[in-house]
Amino acid sequence: MEILEGYVEHIIFRNEDNGYTVLEAVSDGEEITCVGSFRFINEGETVEFRGSYVEHAAYGRQFRVAEYELKAPEDAQSIERYLGSGNIKGVGKALAARIVRHFGGDTLRIMEEEPERLTEVKGISERIAREISAQMEEKADLRNVMLFLQQYGISVALGARLYKRYGNSVCGILKENPYRLADEVQGIGFKMADEIAGRIGIRTDSDYRIRSGLFYTLTQAAAEGHMYLPRSVLTARAASLLGLEPERMDKCLMDLAMERRVVIKEQDGDPAVYARQYYHIELDTARLLRELNIAEPGTDDSVALSIRAIEKETGIVLDGLQRKAVETASGRGIFILTGGPGTGKTTTINTMIRLFMREGLHIALAAPTGRAAKRMTETTGYEAQTIHRLLEVNGGVEENDPSRIGVHFERNAQNPLEYDVIIIDEMSMVDIFLMHSLLEAVTVGTRLILAGDVNQLPSVGPGQVLKDMIGSGVFSVVKLTRIFRQAAESDIIVNAHKINGGEPVSLDNKSRDFFFLKRYDADTVIRVMLTLVTKKLPKYVGAGTLDIQVLTPMRKGLLGVERLNEILQMVLNPPSPEKRERETAAGLFREGDKVMQIKNDYQLEWEIRDRYGIPVDRGTGVFNGDIGMVKEINTAAELLTVEYDDKRCVEYSFKQLEELELAYAVTIHKSQGSEYPAVVIPLLTGPRMLMNRNLLYTAVTRARKCVTLVGSEEVFNAMAANRTEQNRYTSLQQRIGELEGQERNA
């Protein structure tokens, strides 16, 4: 990087939200336009910039700043320029000149150490001197903190956040225990804190480091879906992370328990260790479920009569299990409906809706993702929404719950949902935190109906709520098993059930909607996929090219998401002079790209615009798995606009682009809750734990009209035969069982 030393002459533009700034700097008498993120920089500051020169299409030559360092003014001229730039309230250019003329190069020291002497300058009273001194002290503190942090490789942006959180005490915190940052500051994880600790000289066997490493290991386990880790697993993982012996973990683990940061619960000789909030949220979820699971008053005869009337109105005749599901749902506080594709879940739910409407009940329909809610709306004919919107999410910060930072729901125990019946679809995708938030907002007496396919992949977030609820044996469950005639004509549905049941699947390509193209090397697989996506499938299923979804088991590798997206982007949305681009650490975005939000962001603002571009609806919250298209890239303002499938438009600052990735290809995990006109699935190699029946079943059931697998039939058959699933350490089933036992014994 090139180095540019000078002072800030003029700030042209500053975005106060993200710090993006355009300024004029003077270096060796030359004015240079600099662009970058500068949160704590003002006119008159002496600065060392590091970056590179770029040629902007509209604004010409600029210096794009990657890093910068504030320098203390060293001569009288620099001091006068700094004081006269408006940095000190009440000190203008004329007064700055008088102060520097009186004290010369000793001005800054006088202002910081002997501020009472400022009264020697004409026009400065004791009150004004005190005010100037207080401002100088605050700015000196900030400057000293920033200089201290910079010597340990802490960026200006991060330093500004730390100063805002801790003030002057940040230096002492870093010297004593930098691992506090990982626990207390959003966006700073253990690894970053560990790097800082290494630069400062904290010992690798410090108790602070071991405790932080243990807690970090627990939170990382949550990212894998676990609610806890067995003690032996936790200490082994933490020891590997820290490069220490497992025996060194025991004392620090007990310290964490004494500090009430973890809960250790005995079980089968290997205690379960929970992050404290995870233990209590699972326990409270069990309690809320038990409170809602009550019998509703009513008569079976009247329900049976209503079902027959609905069958006559719709011309649909329910089978025995469907009828049982509707009858049971009408008489229980909690009811679970499960079953595979084509077994009549939608018909059953539609009958429930009509039954409840005949009773004059107020009904809400919801699903975990926008795509799943859209499907629910299409299949039922009634408006469905995401669970987040049902609960009226906003972007408030919950500092004391790291698992839910940024989440606040307006609907909760104090402001519950005002519905008689709530029906949730795609329940396999609902994690423990979202389930707990939903249950908090549901009052006793409300019917809660949960529908989902327990054989699909579990939620991305921690827990396996649907599976644990069914496994508890406490709740009323109906599993639909019959494949109806119309569904039986689809080989997608028939083969999905065969995969799930461990039955052999014919790969002879005599089907109209299920194809297997045998290819045995990655490049050939990719060529075939490109032909399918660009030429064959759009016409075959009557859909656009971007509607054809490539689903792959892995992120990395020759057929992983990252490589496939680069190739598909080049073919489906090639470079063009008419399309602006933005390069990021994760890859390149181009106008017209298909993209996916890869994390829940409850603070992102969205708006829906009419055909004239005028906003007609606004809200906050964009969620993991939402797919849209890049509509505009504004390089001057450093903004990228995405329009999602449901017409929500979201502006991302360039610093937020880590929340997006290309979505021409997505992992099968990310496709949960979605349905596409056609899917293409490459299958060649992969780790045994990942390449299982569960994954294959989920992938195949994402296709509405056509599924095409390209690769090795041996890999397909091995996946269909592999019933191994990654075991999730959860205990909701046990917690429900414990409450059931307590109630029986009471």
Side-chain angles (χ1 to χ4, degrees), residues 606-624:
W606 55 262
E607 59 184 29
I608 296 175
R609 302 166 182 168
D610 64 16
R611 59 178 179 168
Y612 304 107
I614 299 171
V616 294
D617 192 13
R618 286 188 173 92
T620 58
V622 183
F623 305 111
N624 190 357

Side-chain angles (χ1 to χ4, degrees), residues 208-267:
Y208 290 134
R209 181 171 186 260
I210 296 173
R211 288 203 298 269
S212 185
L214 282 163
F215 199 76
Y216 171 76
T217 302
L218 271 183
T219 57
Q220 287 300 105
E224 300 171 21
H226 303 303
M227 294 301 296
Y228 70 89
L229 285 179
R231 180 171 180 156
S232 61
V233 175
L234 171 61
T235 54
R237 286 191 182 189
S240 176
L241 170 73
L242 299 169
L244 299 170
E245 294 300 317
E247 294 74 27
R248 299 295 303 273
M249 307 296 113
D250 292 340
K251 173 186 175 298
C252 291
L253 183 56
M254 295 311 297
D255 288 343
L256 287 172
M258 293 292 289
E259 294 170 5
R260 298 172 62 85
R261 294 183 61 199
V262 304
V263 172
I264 302 176
K265 192 169 177 67
E266 293 297 328
Q267 61 168 31

Side-chain angles (χ1 to χ4, degrees), residues 54-292:
V54 296
E55 193 69 30
H56 192 280
Y59 303 109
R61 188 167 180 255
Q62 297 179 339
F63 192 81
R64 187 175 296 279
V65 179
E67 302 171 358
Y68 74 98
E69 184 176 341
L70 300 176
K71 301 284 188 179
E74 295 178 348
D75 55 45
Q77 184 180 9
S78 299
I79 295 170
E80 182 178 338
R81 184 169 54 239
Y82 172 73
L83 294 177
S85 63
N87 286 310
I88 307 298
K89 187 178 178 181
V91 179
K93 290 184 178 181
L95 184 54
R98 291 203 302 275
I99 293 172
V100 174
R101 194 159 52 242
H102 188 79
F103 296 113
D106 206 26
T107 298
L108 293 183
R109 186 195 66 78
I110 295 290
M111 296 179 80
E112 292 172 5
E113 299 177 10
E114 302 177 74
E116 68 279 359
R117 289 190 57 193
L118 289 173
T119 57
E120 297 172 13
V121 179
K122 184 180 178 181
I124 298 182
S125 65
E126 287 186 16
R127 180 184 61 80
I128 293 174
R130 285 195 300 270
E131 290 175 356
I132 293 173
S133 173
Q135 292 183 65
M136 288 297 296
E137 185 176 351
E138 183 180 349
K139 291 183 180 295
D141 288 343
L142 173 58
R143 184 184 299 277
N144 291 336
V145 167
M146 299 302 283
L147 290 173
F148 173 83
L149 297 178
Q150 285 174 7
Q151 67 182 310
Y152 294 113
I154 297 173
S155 69
V156 172
L158 177 56
R161 288 174 53 208
L162 295 179
Y163 184 79
K164 184 177 181 181
R165 175 67 185 266
Y166 299 110
N168 292 335
S169 62
V170 66
C171 301
I173 289 170
L174 284 176
K175 289 176 181 177
E176 180 188 0
N177 177 19
Y179 296 98
R180 274 185 60 182
L181 307 184
D183 300 332
E184 298 173 1
V185 181
Q186 184 183 0
I188 298 182
F190 169 80
K191 291 187 176 179
M192 183 183 292
D194 205 32
E195 281 184 27
I196 295 169
R199 295 189 192 112
I200 289 175
I202 303 293
R203 288 173 47 183
T204 57
D205 62 350
S206 157
D207 282 0
Y208 290 134
R209 181 171 186 260
I210 296 173
R211 288 203 298 269
S212 185
L214 282 163
F215 199 76
Y216 171 76
T217 302
L218 271 183
T219 57
Q220 287 300 105
E224 300 171 21
H226 303 303
M227 294 301 296
Y228 70 89
L229 285 179
R231 180 171 180 156
S232 61
V233 175
L234 171 61
T235 54
R237 286 191 182 189
S240 176
L241 170 73
L242 299 169
L244 299 170
E245 294 300 317
E247 294 74 27
R248 299 295 303 273
M249 307 296 113
D250 292 340
K251 173 186 175 298
C252 291
L253 183 56
M254 295 311 297
D255 288 343
L256 287 172
M258 293 292 289
E259 294 170 5
R260 298 172 62 85
R261 294 183 61 199
V262 304
V263 172
I264 302 176
K265 192 169 177 67
E266 293 297 328
Q267 61 168 31
D268 301 328
D270 194 358
V273 184
Y274 302 76
R276 184 170 178 267
Q277 69 270 26
Y278 282 65
Y279 174 77
H280 287 289
I281 203 162
E282 206 170 50
L283 192 63
D284 202 44
T285 298
R287 176 187 65 81
L288 291 167
L289 286 168
R290 291 289 299 136
E291 289 178 358
L292 292 173

